[in-house]
Amino acid sequence: MTPTNAAAPPPPETAEQLAAFEARIAAGEYIEPKDWMPERYRKQLIRMMSQHAHSEIVGMLPEGNWITRAPSLRRKMTLIAKVQDEGGHGHYIYCATETLGVSRDQMVADLLSGKAKYSSIFNYPTLTWADIGVIGWFVDGAAIVNQTVLAKASYGPYARSMIRICKEENFHKRQGYEICAVLASGTEAQRAMVQDAVNRWWWPSLMMFGPGDASSPNSEELLRWKVKRFSNDELRQRFVNLTVPQAQAIDVALPDPELRYDAASGDWHFGQVDWNEFWQVVKGDGPCNRERLAARNKAHDEGAWVRAAAEAYAARRAGAAASAAA
Ligand code: FAQ
């Protein structure tokens, strides 16, 4: 027997529907929630956007860890604002994902059970204050490279959610780079601290762009449907090209002996990413995967009373509105 709450299976897709959809994509049109879309497009978007939203939420944890230990009031205020922004980004993207017919409860349940993925980068620990600078510089810097392009993704709600997010990420990157610049021009100990953080975060930041193009099963479809506009390797290269001069400007070394400028291509050639480490982290066995999931579950459990109170309030208001209308 079909469970009463099971969603009806989508009707079969016709060749005409698919052709009309592909033509809209080819013409550069945005696809909106009520438009017809292939089931596979909807599923790919739910996968990618929910992972993105989870990343923003889990991404609050490594930096949140330093709010109580920020070295000055100015730094503390900036960090609180940044971490709050990331929470906001998660919520925009969850809202945008809900337009595809998946509930927020389902997405959150998948995160909390460990079923859903989130960005590998947030499974690394923040050991010193310099890590906060380097996260802003590298992690938000990488996010900007990726998300500026997603602001032109073919799905309207996703593209639009990226516009404000990118503006805020720009501020995050600047504050992070400024922390690094100050430390890099400070005492010997401060210089050593920022260099150590750069050494630890550089390679995991390059992993944020996903596996190399030859090992990226989703890219072909996402590029065809203009959700992605550039491949994982193209965006990784763009990030390296942007970041090398920034490191040079503050006299910090990037931990890659193979890094060299290639005049012919105009690119900075870089060494081999450790893909074994990447897959280990993605599969749940990174330095902080368990800690991150435990923290999200604890926050969810401790927030149960807020959800219950909000529901009771909404029910009371609905009751009051019904009696006023009667
Ligand atoms: N971590 O076939 P592909 C931020 C998975 S936001 C974990 O290449 P795709 C802001 C991938 O899901 C950071 N898993 O996948 C911030 C797939 O598995 P599946 C998040 C990864 O989708 C800053 C499998 O590997 N940004 O940082 C990763 O075509 C500071 C095969 O990969 C976004 O999510 C990874 N790094 O390309 C917040 C941007 N890479 O699902 C707080 C949107 C790949 O088939 C503090 N997403 N995988 O089981 C994207 O642009 C794409 O989804 C990629 C991956 C590029 C991440």
Side-chain angles (χ1 to χ4, degrees), residues 8-48:
E13 293 168 2
T14 66
E16 288 76 22
Q17 281 173 317
L18 261 176
F21 176 82
E22 304 270 0
R24 289 191 66 196
I25 297 277
E29 284 182 37
Y30 285 109
I31 306 301
E32 297 299 339
K34 290 185 176 160
D35 295 347
W36 186 89
M37 62 185 82
E39 190 52 17
R40 187 72 202 148
Y41 178 82
R42 197 179 71 83
K43 288 229 160 78
Q44 273 287 24
L45 282 169
I46 292 175
R47 178 193 68 81
M48 181 168 156

Side-chain angles (χ1 to χ4, degrees), residues 29-205:
E29 284 182 37
Y30 285 109
I31 306 301
E32 297 299 339
K34 290 185 176 160
D35 295 347
W36 186 89
M37 62 185 82
E39 190 52 17
R40 187 72 202 148
Y41 178 82
R42 197 179 71 83
K43 288 229 160 78
Q44 273 287 24
L45 282 169
I46 292 175
R47 178 193 68 81
M48 181 168 156
M49 291 169 66
S50 62
Q51 287 177 8
H52 192 166
H54 298 327
S55 304
E56 301 280 357
I57 299 295
V58 177
M60 297 168 79
L61 295 170
E63 288 171 287
N65 183 33
W66 275 88
I67 289 174
T68 54
R69 292 175 286 167
S72 70
L73 182 60
R74 172 174 171 255
R75 294 292 189 206
K76 190 194 280 278
M77 285 164 53
T78 312
L79 184 57
I80 289 173
K82 179 192 190 294
V83 172
Q84 279 182 342
D85 284 353
E86 307 299 0
H89 298 174
H91 290 296
Y92 306 148
I93 306 173
Y94 280 132
C95 287
T97 317
E98 282 177 302
T99 65
L100 291 156
V102 61
S103 72
R104 182 160 329 193
D105 283 350
Q106 184 60 55
M107 289 186 270
V108 171
D110 287 349
L111 172 66
L112 297 178
S113 70
K115 184 177 165 208
K117 289 192 171 75
Y118 58 85
S119 182
S120 50
I121 193 72
F122 301 118
N123 291 306
Y124 290 84
T126 40
L127 303 181
T128 70
W129 171 251
D131 291 36
I132 302 308
V134 173
I135 288 180
W137 176 19
F138 287 174
V139 177
D140 288 272
I144 292 167
V145 167
N146 173 276
Q147 292 172 173
T148 310
V149 180
L150 287 176
K152 298 190 184 75
S154 57
Y155 189 55
Y158 195 23
R160 288 190 290 274
S161 72
M162 287 300 122
I163 292 168
R164 175 158 171 189
I165 291 179
C166 284
K167 286 187 184 152
E168 291 177 349
E169 302 290 27
N170 260 304
F171 147 66
H172 300 164
K173 185 190 164 180
R174 277 156 190 259
Q175 65 85 37
Y177 187 59
E178 196 238 358
I179 292 173
C180 293
V182 168
L183 292 174
S185 62
T187 64
E188 192 89 346
Q190 287 171 319
R191 284 191 58 75
M193 187 166 73
V194 74
Q195 184 61 60
D196 171 64
V198 163
N199 293 348
R200 284 182 289 106
W201 288 92
W202 175 246
W203 292 105
S205 300

Side-chain angles (χ1 to χ4, degrees), residues 291-315:
E291 194 184 312
R292 300 293 183 237
L293 266 196
R296 284 311 316 154
N297 273 287
K298 181 167 179 283
H300 189 77
D301 293 346
E302 289 177 357
W305 70 271
V306 180
R307 294 189 295 279
E311 271 170 26
Y313 180 67

